[in-house]
Amino acid sequence: MKNFDAISHIKGKSLYIDDFSLPEGTLHALVFDSKIAHGKILSLNIEKAKLIEGVYAVITAKDIPNENQIGGIILDETLLAENEVHFIGEPIAIVVAKSLEIARKAAKEIEIEFQKLDVIIEPRDAFAKNSLIVPPIIFSSGNVNEAWKECDLVVEGSIDSGAQEHLYLETQGAISIPIEENKIKIISSTQSPTAVQKQASKVLGVPMHQIEVDVLRLGGAFGGKEDQATAWAVMSCLAAKILNKPVKLVLSREDDLRMTGKRHPYSSDYKIGLTKNGKIIAYEVTFYQNAGAVADLSTAVLERTLFHATNSYFIPNVKATGISCKTNLPPNTAFRGFGGPQGMFVIESAIVKAASLLGLSPSEIQKRNLLVDNNSFYYGQVVKNSQAVNSWVKAEEKFNCKLMLEEIQNFNNKNKLYKKGISFMPICFGISFTSSFLNQASALVHVYSDGSVGISTAAVEMGQGVNVKIASVASRIFSINVNKIKVESTNTTRVANTSPTAASSAADMNGNATLIACTTILNRLKNFAKIALSATENDVVTIVDESVLLNNQKIELTWQNLIQKAYFNRISLSAQAFYATPEVHFDRIINQGSPFAYHVYGTAITTATLDVIRGIYKIDSVKIVHDFGESLNKNVDLGQVEGALVQGIGWMTMEEIKYSEEGKLLANALSTYKIPDIYSSPENIEIVFLEKSKNKFGPLNSKAIGEPPLMYGIGAYFAILDAMKSAKPSKKFEISAPITPEKVLVSLHG
Amino acid sequence: MEQKLEFILNDKNISVHDNPAKTLLDFIRNNEGLKGTKEGCREGDCGACTVLLGEIVSNKLKYKSVNSCLFPVGRVAGKHVVTIEGLNDPKNLTPIQEEFNNEGASQCGFCTPGFVNSLTGYVIENNKLEFHKAENAIAGNICRCTGYSSIKRATDNVVEFINSLNIISNERIKSLVDKNIIPKYFLEIENRLIKLKKNESNDNNSKMLVGGGTDLFVQKAESLLSQEISFSNNYNLNEIKIIGSEIQLGAAVTVEQIKNSEIFIKYFPTLTEQLSLFASLPIRNSATIGGNIVNASPIGDSTSIFLALNSDLIISSKEKKRKIKLSEFYKGYKILDLMNDELVEEIIFELPGSNTKFSFEKVSKRTYLDIASVNSAIKIETENNLIKSVFLSAGGVSPIPLLLKETSNYLTNKFITAQLVLDSINIVHSEISPISDIRGSADYKKLLLSQLIKAHFIKLFPELVDMEVLL
C-alpha cells in the first residue's frame, strides 16, 4: 500500500492552495514588507497605491479590528508592523487587488520612511548586548566541575551549524472565503489548523467557531508550516473580513524565501572530559541559538536541543545551557529535528576532537558510551527499550564494517588525488511534544450506510504518509479493505483543538485515536450482530476480511450487509475518540521529568570520497540500521528515512544560508540556495529494519519516523572530515557546518 | 503586444491572440486551467513546471522537455505542448506513472508531474534506454521529500520495462502508443502540426531578439511583457557544421545540440560529457550559445569554453557583417562590442589538431544544475612536451569572461613540468580580480582557479607533472 494520494499526485490531479478553483470575485493579496532589518517607521503613505485601478484595499496595522498579535508561545509577534520593523521581510501592509499583477504594481507605490537602528545578525553579538528571547535555560545532572578532575583528557572547542531553508516545493499560502455573515472558511497550507483558527479569531475579535480552517494537503512542510503558515492565512482572513470577499494569498518563491524563517543557526561551545580509554565522564555545552527577531517556536526548539545534547550516549555529568538570542533575521522556526540535530552535531564534534587527542577512532568512543536500559538521561528520564547498542552492533555485522574500513585504508594508501572517509552516526530521538499538553489527538470516524468509512483526525497530510497509516489502522481494526476508507481533509469544524502535525507524533497519536474510535464502533457492531444473529453471551462474533464470523465460522453476513442492518436498527455508526499520550511529564522549574513516550534509535555508517585537488566530494554510501518498531507501512517508512537522510546531508554539506551585515538574505533564490538534487543523493543507500522491536506507545507497535532519520545526515559531515584528515594528516580542521566545497578547499590548501 | 498564436496543447488545438512574452506556465495554468503543471520557483531551478514540447525537426516529430516558467508562449507557435494532463490515460496509470506509484516515488506530490514529464520525454526520444541517461533527463527536477532513492528505483524500472518492450525505433511514437505508454492522440500530432501554419515573421529588427530566454525570463519576465520581442529560433542559425578547417555554430544552437552533436562528440568527447554539468536538460534544450555569449555572465560555462577555443564571432547588421575575436567582445561587466542593430550570428573556431588537447573544469557548490564558483578551460597544442600554443580561460574571477592572455603567453614555448604549472599560477593571480559573493570569497576563487589549472595539467599530462609538487 502506497501513500494514499499517490495516484492523484502522479496524474497531476492533487490540489494545492494555488490550484483550487476560486469563488467568483476572489481577490488577490500581496504582502508589502520591510526592506530594512531594524528601524522605526517614520511615515507610511498608502494613498497612491490605493488609487490604482483594481486595488480594493491596502491594509495596515491600523485596520486590524482586534489584537495585532500572532505569537504562538510568547506574545511578541505582530501580524503587521506598527511602529518598528525588526527584520527584512517583516510584513507591513497587505495589498488586495483584482489580480496579483495589479497588487504588485500598487505595492511599488507605497511610500515608507524609516529611521535605521542597529542591526544584530550573529547570536553571540546578541548575547553580548543582552538581546535574548528568554533567560538562559540550563539542564544538568551530576557535577561537571568536580568531574573534570577525574578525566584523563579534557578538551574544549567551539563549533557552528548553519541555517536551513525548508524549501517545501509548495510555497506558503491560503484562501479565505466569507460564508454568510458569521463565518469565514480558510483553506490553508498549514501544519497547525488550530493555530490558524485561534490567531485569526484573535486578530478579528470573533469566537473561534466563526473560523473554519480546512487543510487538504501540503506540498511539503518540514516544520516550515508549523508556526509560519499562520501569518499568511490570518492576513487573507483579515482581508476577507474587511472586504467581505474571498481573498487568496500565495507567496512567490522569492517572497517566501525572504519573509520566512529557517532552521536555527547555532554557535556552540563545548568541553568534554574522558578517561584515556574513551569513557565520557563529563560534558558541558553552551548553545547560542540564533532565534531571529521574534520568539516563534525558538524556545521549544532550544529545549529539544537541550534534550538531545548527548545524542545516544550516557554521560554521568552534564551541564547544557541554552541561550535563545534575538537578532534581526526573520524568525527562525521548526525544521525536521526541531533543534535536536543542532545539539547532536556538537557532541559528535566534541567526540571527534577528543578521539584525535586520545589516539582513538571516534567510533571507539561512540560505541563505548552508548545508552543502555536503566541509564538515566540528565533530564531525569530513565532509558527503556534502548536499541542503541543493538542497532550499532547490527550495523557493524550486517554491513561488514571491518571490510569497509580495510577497503578505505587500501584506497587511501594507493591514491593521492582522491581520499575516502568514513563515519558512524548513532541517533537517539525522543518522541512526544516536550510541551506535554500538546500530546493529545482526536479522531472522528463515520461508517456510512454503504459500508464505506470516512475518517477525520487532527493529522495533516504533507507527504509523510500519515493518511495511509491512519487508514491502515482502521482497515486492520475493522478488517476491511483499505479502499473502503477515505481519510478526509483536516478540518477544525470536524476535529477541534488540534495539536500541530509535528514532533513526528501525528501518526502515533491520531492513529491511536482512530484505533479507539474504530474499536468503539466495532464493539457496537459485534454486540448488534450477536442480537441480530440471536447468539448467546458465550458466542464470539468477529469480522475478518469483510465477513462476519460466528465462533470462527463464516456465515452469510458481509460487512456491507451488517452495516445496513445496523443502520436500520438505529445503531450509531459514528464515533469520536480522544487520545492523550500517557506518562509524559516535565517540570520546567527544575528541568527534570520524563517528557518522551519513548525514543527512536538507529545507526548510520557513511562513506565519502574527497577530490583533494578540487575540494569537492561525493557521499558514496550510507548504510543504516533503523528501529522502525513494527512498521505500519514499510513503503512509507522507507521513504521517510531516505528523504530525511538526504535532507540532513543537504543541511550538512551544500545548503548555505548567508545574510549580509545589513540583514539581507543573500541566498535568496534557488539559483543561489542549493538543495540536494538527484546526483547529491548517495549512490548506495541501504536501510535495514531492526527486528524484534516493539513499542506499546505506537499504534499496533509502530514507531514514529518523521524526524529521527534526518540526523543520520550528520554522518556526511564527519565522513568528509575523515577523508580530509587522510589527505592532510598534519592539519587540524575546525569547520563550521555546512562543510561546503569552499570550506573544504580553503581548509586543505588555504 | 498581442500576437496570433496557434499551437496544440495536449489534444487541443489552441488559437489565441496573446502576449508572446507571457510564460507558457501562466498560459497553461491561468488561461487553460491545467493545474498539474506547478509553479515552484520561476527560475528553472526546480522543474515542477516541466512540460514537453513537440516539433517537427528535419521532417520528424521530436519531443524535448522545457521549463514552462522560462518559456515564452510565443515560442510554442506551431508546436505541440504536452502537460501531465496530456499524458494521463483516462483509466489507468501509464506504465511510467505506475512505477512511480510502485516505488513510493511521490510523497507530497508537488514535484511529481514534472518528473513524470521529464522521464516520459526521455522515453519518447531514445531508442535504447540507459539508467544514467534517464537520470540525467530528470536531473533538473528537484524533490524535497524522497531523497530521490525511490525516484531512482522507479526510473530504473521504467528503463528496464521499456527496453523489454518491442519498440520499433523508426515508428517509436506509434509503438509507444500501442504499448499504452503515451495516449493515442499522439499518432495524429505530426499531421496536425504540418497543417498548422507558422505565423512567424523575422523581418522586424526593431524587436528585441530573444534566444532561449533562460536567463532573461529569470531576470526580467515582467518587463518583457511590455516589449516587442521576437525569437532567435525564427532565424536559420541553428546549425553546427565544419567548413574547411573550422567549426561553425549558429548563434541559436542550443547547448543540448552541442552535447549531442556528432562533430563535438568526435573532436571534444570529454567536453560533450561534461556539458551535463551545464544547467539541466530542460534548460540546455532552450538555452542558446548566442544567448549565452551576449548575456555576458562572467561565470558562464560556454563563454569559458569558447574563449579557450579561440573563437571568432560573426556579427551582422542590415548593412554589413564583421568578424571579431570573442576575447575582444567583452568590454566590461555586461558591456559588449555590439550595436543595437547588430546580431551575433555565428561562432567560429578551428578544429583541434592531433597534438591539441582540451580540458574544461568547473566547481560549484552543488555539482549539477548550479552556477560555477569558478570555471576554466584550456586548449593546448604541444610537440614533444613543448607547448606550441595555449589558450587558457577562466570564469568567475573578473567582471567579464576572461581569456588569461598573459598566462597563455607565459606558457607558450615552454616544456610542461609541475614547476611551470606553479609558476603560471602566479601569473594568473596578476590577471584576475575576483570578488566575494554568494558563490565564494575572493580568496576561495583565487585558490580554486589555481587548483583547476593544476587539474587541467594533471588530467591532460599525468606523465609530465609531478603530482607531489602540485598537491
Side-chain angles (χ1 to χ4, degrees):
Chain A
M1 200 176 19
K2 313 297 183 246
N3 196 327
F4 233 35
D5 295 331
I7 290 177
S8 125
H9 293 347
I10 293 166
K11 292 185 142 194
K13 291 188 172 174
S14 295
L15 298 180
Y16 304 85
I17 297 296
D18 202 21
D19 304 331
F20 280 90
S21 318
L22 299 174
E24 211 185 317
T26 299
L27 302 175
H28 299 264
L30 182 85
V31 181
F32 174 81
D33 63 312
S34 174
K35 304 294 180 280
I36 68 161
H38 194 196
K40 285 202 166 84
I41 300 176
L42 298 178
S43 71
L44 175 64
N45 184 353
I46 56 171
E47 295 312 315
K48 274 193 197 164
K50 278 163 82 176
L51 290 176
I52 289 183
E53 201 190 324
V55 172
Y56 279 68
V58 179
I59 297 166
T60 66
K62 284 183 204 150
D63 303 307
I64 291 173
N66 196 44
E67 277 184 67
N68 182 15
Q69 181 52 247
I70 56 163
I73 299 175
I74 296 170
L75 302 182
D76 67 348
E77 186 176 359
T78 55
L79 181 71
L80 298 170
E82 282 174 28
N83 306 314
E84 229 179 80
V85 289
H86 309 89
F87 62 94
I88 291 177
E90 182 172 347
I92 297 170
I94 312 162
V95 184
V96 192
K98 215 164 79 179
S99 74
L100 200 53
E101 289 68 36
I102 296 172
R104 264 197 216 109
K105 209 169 116 191
K108 287 182 187 143
E109 300 298 323
I110 296 178
E111 295 166 338
I112 189 159
E113 279 179 300
F114 296 107
Q115 180 194 336
K116 285 191 179 177
L117 297 171
D118 283 349
V119 172
I120 306 174
I121 303 299
E122 296 298 333
R124 287 179 195 256
D125 292 346
F127 178 68
K129 292 177 182 163
N130 203 26
S131 169
L132 303 181
I133 300 284
V134 290
I137 306 168
I138 300 171
F139 282 22
S140 72
S141 75
N143 186 334
V144 285
N145 292 330
E146 289 296 317
W148 303 127
K149 295 172 209 155
E150 300 167 34
C151 303
D152 297 318
L153 173 81
V154 175
V155 54
E156 295 180 54
S158 297
I159 189 91
D160 294 358
S161 63
Q164 183 177 27
E165 161 60 35
H166 305 83
L167 223 115
Y168 28 69
L169 265 274
E170 179 203 28
T171 55
Q172 304 272 6
I175 303 165
S176 292
I177 305 162
I179 294 166
E180 296 189 320
E181 202 165 338
N182 293 323
K183 184 118 193 172
I184 295 182
K185 180 172 179 174
I186 308 176
I187 302 169
S188 169
S189 180
T190 178
Q191 292 171 252
S192 309
T194 293
V196 169
Q197 181 192 27
K198 196 170 147 188
Q199 304 301 354
S201 90
K202 192 203 279 182
V203 169
L204 266 52
V206 302
M208 281 170 76
H209 67 218
Q210 288 194 19
I211 308 285
E212 174 184 353
V213 180
D214 193 84
V215 184
L216 182 56
R217 68 169 61 76
L218 318 186
F222 317 111
K225 295 172 183 172
E226 181 175 349
D227 204 62
Q228 299 216 348
T230 302
W232 326 111
V234 174
M235 284 182 210
S236 75
C237 186
L238 173 66
K241 178 79 178 175
I242 289 173
L243 294 164
N244 197 26
K245 283 194 175 280
V247 175
K248 173 175 171 178
L249 194 166
V250 174
L251 296 188
S252 69
R253 177 64 63 191
E254 196 188 347
D255 285 353
D256 191 304
L257 289 172
R258 184 179 69 254
M259 294 177 184
T260 67
K262 325 290 177 205
R263 182 191 295 285
H264 293 79
Y266 275 58
S267 185
S268 308
D269 297 328
Y270 62 81
K271 184 173 177 184
I272 190 168
L274 311 87
T275 65
K276 60 178 181 296
N277 54 14
K279 179 94 196 119
I280 306 172
I281 306 290
Y283 180 60
E284 187 173 355
V285 60
T286 304
F287 301 105
Y288 298 89
Q289 177 199 51
N290 192 335
V294 298
D296 192 273
L297 297 167
S298 292
T299 51
V301 170
L302 183 65
E303 203 172 68
R304 194 171 272 273
T305 305
L306 295 171
F307 281 119
H308 293 91
T310 62
N311 191 10
S312 302
Y313 313 112
F314 173 67
I315 304 176
N317 302 285
V318 174
K319 184 181 177 196
T321 305
I323 304 168
S324 188
C325 306
K326 192 175 191 168
T327 60
N328 297 111
L329 299 182
N332 288 315
T333 192
F335 195 140
R336 207 176 196 169
F338 206 75
Q342 291 97 319
M344 292 187 193
F345 176 64
V346 180
I347 181 84
E348 295 299 331
S349 296
I351 288 173
V352 166
K353 190 163 183 182
S356 71
L357 294 168
L358 286 172
L360 300 171
S361 73
S363 62
E364 284 173 273
I365 297 178
Q366 289 172 307
K367 191 177 175 183
R368 178 157 309 214
N369 293 283
L370 290 172
L371 288 161
V372 296
D373 282 359
N374 299 319
N375 282 157
S376 276
F377 287 101
Y378 48 96
Y379 49 84
Q381 184 154 3
V382 177
V383 176
K384 288 179 195 156
N385 193 18
S386 170
Q387 302 296 332
V389 176
N390 265 354
S391 66
W392 182 289
V393 172
K394 178 101 187 231
E396 277 184 332
E397 287 168 7
K398 186 90 194 168
F399 304 127
N400 199 348
C401 213
K402 262 193 183 157
L403 187 70
M404 281 171 83
L405 288 163
E406 262 176 44
E407 282 172 356
I408 287 173
Q409 194 66 51
N410 287 340
F411 180 93
N412 288 346
N413 290 342
K414 281 185 207 146
N415 289 281
K416 290 198 171 69
L417 295 176
Y418 296 89
K419 294 288 180 186
K420 284 189 186 289
I422 187 166
S423 74
F424 283 70
M425 184 66 204
I427 60 154
C428 166
F429 195 80
I431 301 302
S432 290
F433 285 97
T434 56
S435 296
S436 300
F437 76 91
L438 290 173
N439 295 299
Q440 53 174 309
S442 305
L444 176 63
V445 178
H446 298 311
V447 181
Y448 293 95
S449 58
D450 65 352
S452 67
V453 175
I455 303 175
S456 295
T457 73
V460 170
E461 174 63 48
M462 46 195 175
Q464 86 282 39
V466 69
N467 282 358
V468 74
K469 287 186 172 180
I470 284 169
S472 66
V473 168
S475 151
R476 282 201 237 170
I477 299 300
F478 287 141
S479 196
I480 59 174
N481 193 310
V482 78
N483 64 18
K484 281 209 159 53
I485 300 165
K486 180 163 170 42
V487 179
E488 306 285 357
S489 65
T490 317
N491 183 297
T492 54
T493 302
R494 268 179 269 123
V495 175
N497 308 323
T498 63
S499 288
T501 294
S504 308
S505 61
D508 276 12
M509 297 198 304
N510 294 283
N512 273 322
T514 303
L515 190 147
I516 297 167
C518 291
T519 307
T520 303
I521 297 172
L522 182 70
N523 287 338
R524 283 185 210 139
L525 287 170
K526 283 179 180 174
N527 288 338
F528 165 70
K530 274 190 186 176
I531 297 163
L533 295 168
S534 314
T536 67
E537 194 120 308
N538 296 330
D539 288 326
V540 179
V541 172
T542 48
I543 298 170
V544 177
D545 294 338
E546 302 190 6
S547 294
V548 180
L549 270 58
L550 184 62
N551 298 324
N552 284 325
Q553 298 294 311
K554 228 177 179 173
I555 49 173
E556 290 294 307
L557 187 60
T558 63
W559 165 264
Q560 212 162 326
N561 295 337
L562 174 68
I563 298 299
Q564 266 176 12
K565 284 198 161 88
Y567 168 71
F568 282 111
N569 283 277
R570 298 188 292 171
I571 303 296
S572 166
L573 294 172
S574 296
Q576 190 271 352
F578 177 77
Y579 176 80
T581 312
E583 299 170 28
V584 291
H585 58 90
F586 190 69
D587 182 339
R588 285 206 168 71
I589 293 165
I590 53 170
N591 286 331
Q592 292 284 312
S594 201
F596 300 114
Y598 59 94
H599 288 78
V600 169
Y601 297 86
T603 300
I605 307 174
T606 304
T607 62
T609 304
L610 170 73
D611 177 334
V612 181
I613 286 278
R614 298 173 184 86
I616 53 180
Y617 48 75
K618 200 167 103 252
I619 306 303
D620 299 321
S621 69
V622 183
K623 301 184 178 194
I624 296 169
V625 173
H626 185 81
D627 170 21
F628 292 86
E630 289 178 11
S631 174
L632 278 176
N633 186 312
K634 286 197 168 186
N635 185 296
V636 165
D637 281 351
L638 191 66
Q640 286 298 294
V641 176
E642 291 165 341
L645 166 70
V646 171
Q647 223 166 47
I649 293 175
W651 174 53
M652 282 281 113
T653 57
M654 69 184 73
E655 295 187 37
E656 191 176 31
I657 293 280
K658 282 187 184 170
Y659 291 93
S660 72
E661 280 175 18
E662 294 81 39
K664 185 170 185 284
L665 178 66
L666 298 175
N668 59 354
L670 266 64
S671 53
T672 44
Y673 184 71
K674 307 314 280 190
I675 67 164
D677 64 348
I678 199 164
Y679 290 116
S680 320
S681 153
E683 227 158 83
N684 179 1
I685 297 177
E686 224 176 302
I687 295 159
V688 171
F689 287 64
L690 189 72
E691 283 160 17
K692 291 181 193 154
S693 171
K694 293 203 174 215
N695 175 33
K696 67 171 179 177
F697 294 98
L700 309 172
N701 276 318
S702 61
K703 275 198 164 185
I705 189 68
E707 293 167 288
L710 182 128
M711 281 145 273
Y712 293 134
I714 295 171
Y717 172 99
F718 291 102
I720 295 164
L721 195 69
D722 188 48
M724 291 174 70
K725 284 181 177 160
S726 291
K728 301 268 175 177
S730 60
K731 284 213 172 187
K732 295 229 176 321
F733 299 112
E734 304 239 327
I735 304 174
S736 62
I739 186 164
T740 57
E742 174 170 3
K743 291 178 194 168
V744 171
L745 194 75
V746 171
S747 302
L748 285 173
H749 304 289
Chain B
M1 291 335 132
E2 289 197 351
Q3 192 175 304
K4 190 176 182 196
L5 299 168
E6 288 189 287
F7 60 99
I8 305 171
L9 174 60
N10 299 328
D11 194 14
K12 180 179 169 187
N13 277 52
I14 303 280
S15 178
V16 288
H17 286 269
D18 209 330
N19 189 326
K22 178 186 268 188
T23 65
L24 184 54
L25 173 66
D26 287 341
F27 185 88
I28 290 167
R29 286 183 60 87
N30 303 340
N31 294 45
E32 292 298 314
L34 297 176
K35 303 291 192 182
T37 307
K38 307 294 183 194
E39 174 179 334
C41 71
R42 273 196 183 268
E43 52 173 336
D45 265 304
C46 80
C49 68
T50 308
V51 298
L52 298 179
L53 206 57
E55 59 186 317
I56 293 173
V57 182
S58 317
N59 298 320
K60 206 168 168 274
L61 177 58
K62 291 188 76 71
Y63 284 88
K64 63 183 181 188
S65 55
V66 297
N67 297 119
S68 63
C69 70
L70 300 182
F71 211 88
V73 70
R75 269 186 86 187
V76 305
K79 294 177 182 156
H80 181 211
V81 177
V82 187
T83 69
I84 188 72
E85 291 86 355
L87 292 177
N88 284 339
D89 178 290
K91 278 188 233 144
N92 306 312
L93 292 175
T94 70
I96 294 172
Q97 292 173 324
E98 191 64 55
E99 293 301 342
F100 271 75
N101 190 38
N102 289 341
E103 293 297 341
S106 179
Q107 288 187 18
C108 87
F110 201 87
C111 71
T112 313
F115 272 98
V116 171
N117 271 306
S118 294
L119 189 57
T120 305
Y122 173 73
V123 167
I124 293 175
E125 274 311 303
N126 293 275
N127 288 322
K128 176 88 180 78
L129 307 190
E130 292 169 47
F131 172 76
H132 287 289
K133 290 188 176 167
E135 188 184 29
N136 192 253
I138 57 174
N141 295 82
I142 293 292
C143 169
R144 190 53 151 168
C145 296
T146 62
Y148 305 98
S149 289
S150 50
I151 292 172
K152 288 188 205 173
R153 288 192 291 270
T155 303
D156 203 26
N157 296 350
V158 166
V159 166
E160 204 176 305
F161 173 73
I162 303 282
N163 280 341
S164 75
L165 299 176
N166 194 11
I167 304 281
I168 306 151
S169 58
N170 55 1
E171 286 181 17
R172 193 157 177 90
I173 284 181
K174 183 179 179 305
S175 218
L176 289 169
V177 168
D178 288 345
K179 309 283 182 195
N180 298 317
I181 311 291
I182 50 176
K184 264 207 178 75
Y185 75 86
F186 271 77
L187 293 175
E188 298 303 319
I189 294 296
E190 191 163 346
N191 287 332
R192 286 168 66 180
L193 283 182
I194 290 167
K195 277 185 208 151
L196 268 187
K197 264 191 289 178
K198 277 198 183 182
N199 283 317
E200 289 167 349
S201 59
N202 57 359
D203 53 4
N204 193 343
N205 279 348
S206 66
K207 287 182 179 177
M208 177 173 172
L209 186 65
V210 176
T214 51
D215 195 46
L216 207 58
F217 275 85
V218 177
Q219 308 297 341
K220 33 182 99 161
E222 225 165 309
S223 73
L224 288 170
L225 287 170
S226 50
Q227 278 188 44
E228 291 278 340
I229 61 172
S230 70
F231 302 107
S232 67
N233 54 327
N234 298 346
Y235 296 72
N236 291 319
L237 296 173
N238 50 10
E239 274 188 88
I240 304 173
K241 51 194 171 190
I242 297 181
I243 308 281
S245 65
E246 290 180 331
I247 297 182
Q248 284 191 6
L249 270 88
V253 164
T254 64
V255 179
E256 190 61 14
Q257 244 178 299
I258 295 182
K259 192 169 179 286
N260 298 325
S261 138
E262 280 170 27
I263 294 172
F264 272 84
I265 291 169
K266 182 174 170 194
Y267 291 101
F268 302 98
T270 52
L271 175 65
T272 50
E273 277 168 35
Q274 278 180 302
L275 281 181
S276 62
L277 294 175
F278 186 110
S280 64
L281 179 61
I283 299 213
R284 291 195 300 273
N285 279 333
S286 298
T288 63
I289 295 305
N292 222 249
I293 283 173
V294 298
N295 191 34
S297 163
I299 191 56
D301 291 329
S302 66
T303 41
S304 270
I305 291 167
F306 287 110
L307 280 170
L309 290 170
N310 190 25
S311 307
D312 292 314
L313 300 181
I314 303 294
I315 294 173
S316 72
S317 65
K318 267 185 187 155
E319 286 79 36
K320 60 167 189 183
K321 271 192 193 211
R322 64 188 176 102
K323 186 169 167 179
I324 169 180
K325 278 263 164 271
L326 176 60
S327 55
E328 303 299 319
F329 186 58
Y330 301 110
K331 298 296 175 197
Y333 179 69
K334 299 245 176 190
I335 301 171
L336 307 176
D337 179 1
L338 189 72
M339 307 297 283
N340 272 340
D341 63 342
E342 284 186 319
L343 172 71
V344 174
E345 277 195 350
E346 279 176 349
I347 298 99
I348 299 178
F349 56 91
E350 281 205 6
L351 282 168
S354 57
N355 291 327
T356 302
K357 295 187 179 194
F358 184 84
S359 159
F360 174 65
E361 286 282 336
K362 168 181 181 176
V363 165
S364 43
K365 196 173 282 175
R366 188 174 72 194
T367 308
Y368 290 84
L369 182 50
D370 194 2
I371 296 167
S373 295
V374 171
N375 63 26
S376 173
I378 189 169
K379 186 177 82 158
I380 183 162
E381 188 190 350
T382 56
E383 202 177 293
N384 301 324
N385 307 334
L386 183 74
I387 299 174
K388 301 294 287 180
S389 84
V390 59
F391 294 90
L392 176 65
S393 67
V397 290
S398 149
I400 59 168
L402 193 64
L403 183 67
L404 295 161
K405 288 180 192 164
E406 300 288 324
T407 314
S408 301
N409 283 341
Y410 175 80
L411 286 165
T412 310
N413 282 320
K414 296 206 171 64
F415 285 100
I416 296 171
T417 63
Q419 192 54 47
L420 177 73
V421 176
L422 292 182
D423 292 345
S424 73
I425 287 169
N426 285 329
I427 318 264
V428 168
H429 290 167
S430 69
E431 286 194 81
I432 61 174
S433 48
I435 55 164
S436 294
D437 61 17
I438 190 70
R439 313 220 174 272
S441 68
D443 284 345
Y444 170 58
K445 291 176 184 176
K446 190 173 155 188
L447 172 62
L448 181 54
L449 179 58
S450 314
Q451 296 298 109
L452 295 186
I453 290 169
K454 292 177 191 172
H456 284 315
F457 283 92
I458 291 173
K459 203 163 63 181
L460 298 178
F461 306 100
E463 69 288 356
L464 297 182
V465 291
D466 180 354
M467 240 188 278
E468 291 291 342
V469 176
L470 295 184
L471 268 170

